[in-house]
Amino acid sequence: MRLLNHFPGQLGRRMYAAPSSAAIPAAKKKYVPTSGTYPQGFKVSGTVVGVKPSNTTKPDLAFITSDRPCAAAAVFTKNKFQAAPVTFSRSLLQQKKNSGLQGVLINSGCANAVTGKGGLEDAEAMATEADKALGAEKGTIVMSTGVIGQRLPIKKILDNVPTAFGKLGASHDHWLTCATAICTTDTFPKLISKSFSLPSSPSVEYRIAGMTKGAGMIHPNMATLLGVVATDAPISPELLPGLLKGAVDKSFNSITIDGDTSTNDTVALLANGAAGGQAIVSERSQDYEAFQEVLASFSTDLAKLIVRDGEGATKFVTIRVTESWSEEGARKIASTIARSPLVKTALYGKDANWGRILCATGYALVTEPGASVNEVAEITPEKTNVSFIPSDGSAELRLLVNGEPEVVDEERAAQILEHEDLEILVRLGTGKEEATYWTCDYSHEYITINGDYRT
């Protein structure tokens, strides 16, 4: 299987402060692609609507379309207070049996969440207006992101759908503008594209492109994130939900910024088959396995961009828990370390305070009544090891070995913590399973951003 990756570089330092203007901070420009390889049959646009009255320059209405009906699937938030777009889009996909979709319409600036019957009517009106422009019948799902508890300025949005339709295009600039339109506190648009091949059609170049947004209120299941992934590979509608769920579990459900889960989270996958070739119709086929691998890797790259743009973040941190008795236990421990405020603030302060990591490991399982994992089997203090893995490829810095503290070279620890990227490795010594989470640190700026969010 061939996989060509159009993905920005990952070296260098970054500024953590949210920009006061639409300009992308210099240190983050490396994450924004300057070109891409986009799937056939899809056109996109980003339009300035002014969902927030203060916004007069940034695109805030994104339109993703296909020139033919698509197989489609989506994964939604598990928050009990689910936004109107989530309710509407889930229902539509069920009605359509994951087929016949042609568009996704997304607004930023207002979440249309906890808005009652009127909010549902607004979500449906957005979809209806998009269908009208596309000439499709019930072919559009909708998403919204922004402040909770406020009604959409629905007339503004509906009046601009024809404009959004008129701006549709397939160039890199179109895709980048569309990705910008779904951003809220994000400091850069998150966009990736790749080309790949499948075993049954080695001469066919398939393409996949995706955009996502998210910077705060990020934690499974899922997070304040929206994502749309589009491919021109031919995939049966029946297979898409399973493919997407598997990819999301390994990517968007393995990231955390602040431990909060939102009301609007949605990741959608559309496949229009425009590139031709043999359709994927069986889970037992080589093509299915190959595409599953492509989608999981692609989704992970997208999810990592969210963490790299965490509100106020200065570090991108990989938490890897290995030698675990069960994968479930490893995930719970990795998740607990990743969302510990004490761990995250220590990393911001460049303090090699491994005691906080060990503490989070120790309470990860016992703080959840009714958990099915066996904490006795999972964690044995005298078998536990904690290390920093430097991003420059140098040897790991051992902090705890078989439950015994190491004499830490504080100077080297400080050098390791100067880097933007860091891996924390916890070896439990109780089994062979493992799990990985991606997170960031907490800075003063996180408080500033969220203290002022509605203003």
Side-chain angles (χ1 to χ4, degrees):
M1 178 179 61
R2 174 172 55 88
L3 191 62
L4 304 177
N5 190 2
H6 296 266
F7 185 69
Q10 297 184 3
L11 299 176
R13 301 294 304 279
R14 60 173 273 177
M15 292 166 48
Y16 66 84
S20 58
S21 67
I24 299 170
K28 298 187 186 181
K29 288 182 179 178
K30 59 182 176 288
Y31 302 119
V32 181
T34 56
S35 63
T37 301
Y38 299 103
Q40 298 180 52
F42 286 96
K43 290 184 177 180
V44 302
S45 67
T47 303
V48 180
V49 170
V51 173
K52 279 188 171 182
S54 59
N55 174 45
T56 58
T57 57
K58 175 193 166 297
D60 54 359
L61 184 66
F63 203 5
I64 299 99
T65 71
S66 172
D67 63 5
R68 66 202 72 192
C70 300
V75 175
F76 300 97
T77 180
K78 292 186 179 180
N79 193 305
K80 295 299 182 183
F81 292 93
Q82 298 189 346
V86 169
T87 302
F88 172 83
S89 297
R90 179 191 285 114
S91 176
L92 182 61
L93 285 166
Q94 290 171 347
Q95 290 174 33
K96 303 278 285 186
K97 296 181 179 179
N98 297 103
S99 65
L101 274 289
Q102 280 191 252
V104 183
L105 187 66
I106 309 170
N107 77 271
S108 61
C110 178
N112 191 11
V114 198
T115 46
K117 182 180 177 182
L120 281 170
E121 292 171 351
D122 289 345
E124 185 173 3
M126 284 175 63
T128 300
E129 195 65 27
D131 289 342
K132 212 180 292 182
L134 291 170
E137 184 177 350
K138 292 188 176 181
T140 304
I141 59 174
V142 296
M143 304 180 194
S144 298
T145 182
V147 177
I148 294 170
Q150 297 180 4
R151 287 286 298 274
L152 290 169
I154 191 63
K155 187 175 186 307
K156 271 188 183 180
I157 293 173
L158 299 183
D159 287 349
N160 276 280
V161 170
T163 303
F165 179 79
K167 289 184 174 183
L168 291 171
S171 72
H172 172 69
D173 285 346
H174 283 94
W175 280 88
L176 196 58
T177 302
C178 187
T180 301
I182 68 176
C183 293
T184 51
T185 59
D186 308 63
T187 64
F188 66 91
K190 299 161 184 66
L191 174 68
I192 304 176
S193 62
K194 295 181 179 179
S195 59
F196 62 96
S197 63
L198 296 172
S200 70
S201 309
S203 62
V204 178
E205 181 186 62
Y206 294 106
R207 299 176 178 184
I208 185 169
M211 64 187 73
T212 189
K213 65 80 53 183
M217 202 182 269
I218 300 290
H219 188 70
N221 283 296
M222 288 170 11
T224 299
L225 65 89
L226 301 181
V228 179
V229 177
T231 181
D232 53 17
I235 307 170
S236 168
E238 292 79 12
L239 299 181
L240 276 194
L243 282 165
L244 181 60
K245 184 182 183 304
V248 165
D249 282 346
K250 294 177 180 178
S251 56
F252 295 106
N253 277 342
S254 293
I255 62 173
T256 184
I257 287 175
D258 48 21
D260 274 322
T261 299
S262 180
T263 54
N264 290 58
D265 321 322
T266 306
V267 175
L269 171 63
L270 287 78
N272 68 5
Q278 185 173 315
I280 302 175
V281 296
S282 171
E283 293 181 1
R284 295 183 293 275
S285 69
Q286 285 185 307
D287 284 355
Y288 181 92
E289 292 180 2
F291 183 75
Q292 189 175 45
E293 183 181 333
V294 169
L295 183 62
S297 172
F298 185 84
S299 299
T300 298
D301 284 346
L302 272 177
K304 286 180 178 180
L305 286 180
I306 292 174
V307 177
R308 289 193 178 279
D309 199 24
E311 289 174 344
T314 72
K315 297 193 183 305
F316 177 87
V317 186
T318 300
I319 311 288
R320 196 154 60 94
V321 177
T322 66
E323 299 177 14
S324 175
W325 185 69
S326 72
E327 183 182 355
E328 180 186 2
R331 281 185 65 83
K332 285 182 179 294
I333 292 167
S335 170
T336 303
I337 297 169
R339 69 177 186 267
S340 164
L342 290 179
V343 171
K344 294 160 83 70
T345 50
L347 293 173
Y348 172 64
K350 302 171 186 175
D351 179 8
N353 192 341
W354 57 266
R356 294 181 176 182
I357 300 168
L358 196 66
C359 182
T361 300
Y363 70 69
L365 306 180
V366 298
T367 54
E368 298 187 22
S372 61
V373 295
N374 185 338
E375 66 258 26
V376 175
E378 289 287 359
I379 300 174
T380 303
E382 57 268 22
K383 293 182 180 179
T384 304
N385 294 262
V386 178
S387 298
F388 283 160
I389 308 298
S391 59
D392 60 7
S394 60
E396 69 180 279
L397 178 63
R398 296 177 182 271
L399 306 170
L400 184 78
V401 177
N402 294 327
E404 294 289 336
E406 292 287 281
V407 177
V408 177
D409 182 341
E410 295 290 349
E411 185 177 346
R412 181 156 185 260
Q415 290 172 351
I416 291 172
L417 290 170
E418 280 290 334
H419 292 284
E420 178 184 344
D421 287 28
L422 170 71
E423 179 180 322
I424 295 172
L425 174 62
V426 178
R427 298 183 183 94
L428 297 176
T430 57
K432 297 181 180 179
E433 301 299 323
E434 63 180 77
T436 301
Y437 254 68
W438 295 280
T439 190
C440 57
D441 57 348
Y442 271 160
S443 72
H444 304 286
E445 193 68 19
Y446 178 84
I447 305 299
T448 299
I449 292 168
N450 284 284
D452 297 339
Y453 187 72
R454 291 205 306 166
T455 55

